[in-house]
Amino acid sequence: MTNWNHRHILDLATFSFEDFTTVLELANRFKSLPNKGTRKLPVLQGRLITTLFFEPSTRTRSSFELAAKLLSADVISFAVSNSSISKGESVLDTAMTYVAMGADALIIRHDSTSVPEIIANALDEKGLKTSVLNAGDGLHSHPSQGLLDLFTLANYFCPEEPLPSSLCGKSIAIVGDILHSRVARSNLWALTGCGANVILCGPPSLLPEEFEAFVDSPPPGQNKDPIKKRGKIKIERSLKKALQAADAVMTLRIQKERMNQNLLTDFDRYYFDYGISHEKLKWCDKKIALLHPGPVNRGIEISSELMQDSSICMIDKQVSNGISIRMALLYLITAINPSQKIF
Ligand code: CP
């Protein structure tokens, strides 16, 4: 295993190709473990993982908690609805309360951009060793989702060796509500970082032209791009052309809760133009994989029939790969010696 030097995992813009490889190699080893009998590995025994979700989640929270338990860590699950946030306690004071209880990692989701980073900086300033893992902040970043999507694609393109190199030169279409999607942003860093070219497809209101330059320079506060040569991003408004050029397509949830400027009002029209169905996949001259981070609005982003077709639709595989990826991330940030041979 190469050197791992990320104590916090906040954004995939900071990942090198070697970092992507380390995570996928480790996830693949966890995925290869038998899933019956003695399932738990004792590698994080005595470590405490806390999930702090200030925004709803089904997949991310449950799979982080399951991943921690499969590595024998202890888990505390914070629920905002019955917490002291309702009495006026701040998010930072809440996080520090769990640090004082001995948390080795805080897995944080918040609807405001940068909350995980602010907490990570506060921990660093105090010299505290607790790690922060961003489980989705506002429109900014969802690193574990970007990594599980990368792992799912690597498994699709090269099941015998699902590594980032299998993405090099591939074309991945990302369709839909790019504007509101932290998943799209994390995927842009991950996919281009592994040498894939990305075709973004959606209506102008949900896909501004600026996205074509999204990875041209590192985000504010980051001096240097750790990737020497990234794949390219191209905008294609026609779904037919995007699908025809793609080796795989990822479609995104229409985020109705963030649609505060009437950016999209006619969902039937959206399905007609950008929804993915068996009929539209017939435009392609080869079979392509379909991904969606979930939760899905059936009949808006994907037809119900296509969602049931596991020969094309990778949603269940994304969910199960998410457990292996999150085991890898928790292991890398909280194991006492992540370089030791564990199995
Ligand atoms: N993909 C994703 O983040 O799903 P949840 O909101 O259910 O965690």
Side-chain angles (χ1 to χ4, degrees):
M1 194 184 295
T2 55
N3 283 342
W4 181 258
N5 56 16
H6 300 271
R7 190 152 68 76
H8 307 297
I9 298 177
L10 302 172
D11 188 358
L12 297 183
T14 60
F15 270 43
S16 65
F17 187 79
E18 291 70 31
D19 293 331
F20 289 118
T21 304
T22 298
V23 174
L24 264 59
E25 265 176 2
L26 191 53
N28 198 43
R29 286 157 69 191
F30 285 130
K31 186 179 159 134
S32 313
L33 291 172
N35 60 6
K36 292 207 166 59
T38 312
R39 294 180 69 201
K40 288 195 180 195
L41 281 174
V43 291
L44 295 187
Q45 225 159 34
R47 313 304 271 170
L48 177 60
I49 310 293
T50 302
T51 54
L52 290 169
F53 277 57
F54 298 90
E55 198 191 68
S57 165
T58 297
R59 282 145 280 268
T60 312
R61 179 188 191 130
S62 302
S63 60
F64 265 119
E65 292 178 1
L66 179 56
K69 288 174 185 173
L70 289 171
L71 298 176
S72 306
D74 295 315
V75 178
I76 298 181
S77 179
F78 158 91
V80 69
S81 55
N82 53 9
S83 74
S84 289
I85 290 277
S86 60
K87 300 175 198 161
E89 189 164 37
S90 74
V91 170
L92 186 56
D93 288 343
T94 303
M96 289 304 172
T97 302
Y98 288 101
V99 173
M101 287 183 203
D104 294 292
L106 303 175
I107 316 297
I108 301 175
R109 171 171 288 190
H110 202 284
D111 64 2
S112 295
T113 292
S114 296
V115 167
E117 187 183 347
I118 290 165
I119 295 171
N121 290 342
L123 290 166
D124 292 347
E125 276 164 26
K126 287 174 190 275
L128 295 164
K129 297 284 174 239
T130 307
S131 292
V132 172
L133 210 157
N134 181 359
D137 63 327
L139 310 185
H140 170 230
S141 179
H142 192 348
S144 62
Q145 181 71 45
L147 290 165
L148 77 87
D149 292 337
L150 191 67
F151 188 43
T152 303
L153 286 166
N155 268 285
Y156 176 72
F157 292 128
C158 188
E160 57 288 350
E161 203 172 39
L163 293 175
S165 49
S166 66
L167 272 286
C168 191
K170 300 287 188 202
S171 291
I172 313 298
I174 304 183
V175 177
D177 186 359
I178 316 289
L179 179 67
H180 297 110
S181 179
R182 56 196 177 207
V183 174
R185 288 171 176 83
S186 284
N187 266 286
L188 286 173
W189 291 116
L191 294 170
T192 60
C194 297
N197 298 310
V198 179
I199 306 160
L200 294 176
C201 181
S205 62
L206 301 180
L207 172 54
E209 292 290 330
E210 301 86 88
F211 271 92
E212 218 159 57
F214 185 75
V215 298
D216 288 359
S217 48
Q222 188 179 321
N223 300 329
K224 193 167 158 275
D225 189 344
I227 302 284
K228 287 184 195 74
K229 193 169 183 307
R230 289 190 176 273
K232 298 265 177 271
I233 300 174
K234 176 184 154 195
I235 290 182
E236 173 55 71
R237 301 286 174 199
S238 151
L239 180 63
K240 185 174 186 177
K241 287 186 186 162
L243 291 178
Q244 285 174 336
D247 296 297
V249 56
M250 176 185 306
T251 185
L252 301 169
R253 183 171 72 87
I254 290 291
Q255 302 203 21
K256 295 176 185 170
E257 74 278 19
R258 299 194 216 267
M259 212 67 77
N260 52 10
Q261 291 168 305
N262 292 329
L263 294 172
L264 185 71
T265 48
D266 185 343
F267 295 107
D268 291 338
R269 176 75 210 188
Y270 177 86
Y271 180 67
F272 183 79
D273 288 336
Y274 295 104
I276 316 279
S277 60
H278 280 111
E279 290 68 38
K280 287 181 182 163
L281 290 179
K282 284 185 191 146
W283 292 331
C284 308
D285 57 14
K286 60 177 182 286
K287 192 174 170 193
I288 65 173
L290 169 68
L291 287 81
H292 189 303
V296 176
N297 295 302
R298 281 177 184 246
I300 297 180
E301 297 118 22
I302 310 179
S303 71
S304 265
E305 297 71 35
L306 186 52
M307 254 190 92
Q308 322 289 43
D309 183 349
S310 60
S311 72
I312 299 171
C313 183
M314 302 279 140
I315 293 175
D316 289 348
K317 291 190 174 67
Q318 286 171 273
V319 171
S320 59
N321 286 334
I323 300 165
S324 313
I325 283 288
R326 289 173 175 127
M327 288 170 83
L329 295 177
L330 291 176
Y331 181 75
L332 286 165
I333 62 171
T334 64
I336 288 164
N337 178 8
S339 304
Q340 75 183 353
K341 199 167 162 50
I342 46 171
F343 44 78

